[in-house]
Amino acid sequence: MRVALFVTCVNDTLFPATGRAVVTLLRRLGVDVEFPRGQTCCGQMHANTGYRDEAVRLARRTVAVLRGYDAVVVPSGSCAAMIREQYPRLAGPSGPFADAVARVVPRTYELTEFIVDVLGVTDVGASFPHRVTYHPTCHSLRGIHLGDRPLTLLRQVKGLDLVPLPGAEECCGFGGTFALKNADVSAAMCADKVRAVLDTGAEVLCAADNSCLTHIGGMLARQKSGVRVMHLAEILGAAETDEIVAGRPVSAR
């Protein structure tokens, strides 16, 4: 199986540790993952704000880069949803890149989908002795319907104390450009989410999307809460020999 990592532009530019964690995790599970260097943005921001022509160009480029792979792993529910839900609409039923979209879409998986559904694994051999709560982001919850796959994997992590997040299914208020266009509403929604996180007593908040974690983490940091935010992949990629530096697992190997 040829497996591609579609890292997403947010992770590539701001959270490279997430991409490295995905590679570490998949290699531990016996997957030889490749990083197609031609990948750029999936075009979600453009599509969501009305720049259809720009979104089409990015979608066409993305499927051209990814069409030769048997599986595409995306450490983002948001970007996975963009490819699976919006690319067919952008391509149309008989457009010039409709065939490439038809090949890539059913082979595109969010990280936990790939691990649980394709690899058939629930225990990834991770160790993370911390109190953790999980926020199901809107696209992962309502777009691609991840269900309890992330929780199934977290429950098997050695030493991890998983605590439920009150009102977990409520939006954090990020929503991409929504946070810019509706800043007051976005901040109020985030404040509700932060109160729920603090009520858990968790040391770490994790999610499948770094975009939402940036939003929530910013308010947690401004309140000097001491709660760290981490992408789910970084927890699943952690091993007993890893050291936590600045809130991130650093491999001792």
Side-chain angles (χ1 to χ4, degrees), residues 128 204 228-231 234-235 243-250:
F128 193 77
V204 177
R228 305 194 304 268
V229 295
M230 292 178 64
H231 192 282
E234 295 174 59
I235 293 177
E243 177 186 2
I244 303 298
V245 176
R248 304 285 177 177
V250 177

Side-chain angles (χ1 to χ4, degrees), residues 5-245:
L5 167 61
F6 185 71
V7 73
T8 81
C9 55
V10 169
N11 289 329
D12 189 43
T13 55
L14 299 177
F15 303 100
T18 296
R20 290 194 292 268
V22 173
V23 173
T24 297
L25 173 60
L26 293 180
R27 285 179 176 170
R28 183 196 301 155
L29 298 176
V31 177
D32 186 14
V33 62
E34 300 178 28
F35 181 83
R37 294 189 176 273
Q39 63 183 282
T40 56
C41 175
C42 69
Q44 179 182 178
M45 179 178 66
H46 310 76
N48 290 348
T49 49
Y51 292 90
R52 180 182 173 83
D53 291 345
E54 289 80 359
V56 166
R57 285 197 292 271
L58 287 166
R60 190 168 186 170
R61 176 187 178 92
T62 299
V63 294
V65 170
L66 300 176
R67 68 176 300 166
Y69 291 90
D70 301 305
V72 178
V73 177
V74 189
S76 165
S78 177
C79 296
M82 171 64 186
I83 294 174
R84 285 173 19 188
E85 293 182 342
Q86 296 207 49
Y87 276 19
R89 300 173 194 161
L90 293 172
S94 57
F97 64 110
D99 288 346
V101 167
R103 175 173 174 80
V104 170
V105 164
R107 292 171 169 81
T108 298
Y109 303 90
E110 184 274 337
L111 175 65
T112 63
E113 285 182 312
F114 182 74
I115 294 172
V116 174
D117 297 350
V118 179
L119 300 183
V121 172
T122 56
D123 186 344
V124 300
S127 175
F128 193 77
H130 299 278
R131 188 176 177 89
V132 175
T133 193
Y134 168 74
H135 167 61
T137 62
C138 289
H139 278 97
S140 64
L141 183 69
R142 301 176 181 90
I144 59 175
H145 307 289
L146 279 188
D148 64 354
R149 293 176 183 87
L151 295 173
T152 296
L153 295 171
L154 287 170
R155 290 186 184 113
Q156 299 299 320
V157 175
K158 184 177 179 182
L160 189 147
D161 179 15
L162 182 63
V163 291
L165 178 64
E169 296 187 358
E170 295 179 11
C171 176
C172 72
F174 178 60
T177 54
F178 174 85
L180 301 176
K181 296 178 179 179
N182 304 275
D184 291 342
V185 176
S186 174
M189 294 171 72
C190 189
D192 289 343
K193 182 64 66 173
V194 164
R195 279 193 293 271
V197 171
L198 296 178
D199 285 346
T200 67
E203 302 169 70
V204 177
L205 168 69
C206 75
D209 285 271
N210 271 325
S211 52
C212 296
L213 288 175
T214 300
H215 185 57
I216 306 169
M219 188 169 286
L220 286 168
R222 288 190 293 276
Q223 293 186 10
K224 296 180 169 42
S225 67
V227 179
R228 305 194 304 268
V229 295
M230 292 178 64
H231 192 282
L232 180 68
E234 295 174 59
I235 293 177
L236 298 178
E240 282 190 89
T241 54
D242 290 351
E243 177 186 2
I244 303 298
V245 176

